[in-house]
Amino acid sequence: MSQLQDNFGRRFHYLRMSVTDVCNFKCTYCLPDGYRPDGKPKFLDLNEIEHLVSAFSQVGTQKIRITGGEPSLRKDFTDIIRIVNDNDKIKTIATTTNGYRLAKHAQEWYDAGLRRINISVDSLDPKMFYQITGENKFDEVMRGVDAALEAGFERVKINAVLLKGLNDKDLPRFLHWIKNTPIDLRFIELMETGLGHDYFKAHHLAGNDIKSQLEQAGWQFDTPAADDGPAQNFSHQDYQGRIGLIMPYAKNFCASCNRLRVSANGKLHLCLFTENGVDLRDLLQTSDQQAELVERLHGQLAQKKQTHFLHDGITGVTQHLASIGG
């Protein structure tokens, strides 16, 4: 079956597959009031996940990132990793986690087939970490980072959302950390969601400001691989770690889009800011539905827009990014 491609010539190798929208942190930029169930149907089970992975593997998907919410809250999280790993067409298995279970399970997840891991660490100051996340778990998360490095993951990345007036003074501390530590540090520019205008206005910090600082300090742009995400990556001869910048307001940010999203309830989202997903769940029940599911995927790609329209002030109605694995 042919590679998924939209009307703008973009080819899609990368699936972000949410397995839950539940999270135990209360990050101010995502779930400031904590997780609140909304009565949605239960999340995709292992059988449905297997059928989903199989269909996407038939249309050129080579990389799957297991996301949430916090994906490790699922008791069968290791089984989900194994299901993805059992598909020979999937070359890269990654996850994004808040890290609270990482110290205990890093080796188990690696042994199941997980090879890349992103850990959210929005500040290296324990007090600021608590202020942003609502959880006093800094030491626990940092032990998890150490465990991931020891387990042998191909790539360990640290995600930090840039927040003016909060963690914007942390850059020197982060740089000191990656001087002799082989991790990828990714700064994510705050995005305005449908109900977050006041927070965005108070705390948005342009990623280009950080980019200018890095370039002036001798950091060099790295050519992206085909299955890379949206980050602009930089390296420096004096540092073991790398830095990535995710800047959704940068010019032509959407031109290289190569990823699709499926929510924990089985809805296909063509963009993080799409208001309504397309239900796939009815075609995830038996293996003989695969051809119809693949046909639906191809049909939906024709509907993908050229851009996310953030520059035009159109933010969609996504209330928190955890709901579709942002």
Side-chain angles (χ1 to χ4, degrees), residues 29-31 68-69 191 193 272-273 318-326:
Y29 55 82
C30 184
L31 284 173
M191 293 171 282
T193 55
L272 178 60
F273 292 93
T318 303
Q319 295 185 29
H320 57 81
L321 301 183
S323 65
I324 57 171

Side-chain angles (χ1 to χ4, degrees), residues 14-34:
Y14 178 8
L15 172 65
R16 296 179 63 96
M17 180 179 69
S18 177
V19 295
T20 179
D21 65 11
V22 180
C23 189
N24 57 327
F25 278 24
K26 298 181 286 292
C27 296
T28 55
Y29 55 82
C30 184
L31 284 173
D33 299 320

Side-chain angles (χ1 to χ4, degrees), residues 303-324:
Q303 308 302 317
K304 186 168 173 62
K305 305 299 183 183
Q306 188 172 12
T307 179
H308 50 36
F309 298 109
L310 287 178
H311 299 92
D312 299 326
I314 301 173
T315 62
V317 296
T318 303
Q319 295 185 29
H320 57 81
L321 301 183
S323 65
I324 57 171

Side-chain angles (χ1 to χ4, degrees), residues 1 59 290-300:
M1 183 62 66
V59 290
Q290 289 280 288
E292 188 176 355
L293 177 55
V294 165
E295 183 179 357
R296 184 176 296 179
L297 293 177
H298 276 289
Q300 288 304 312

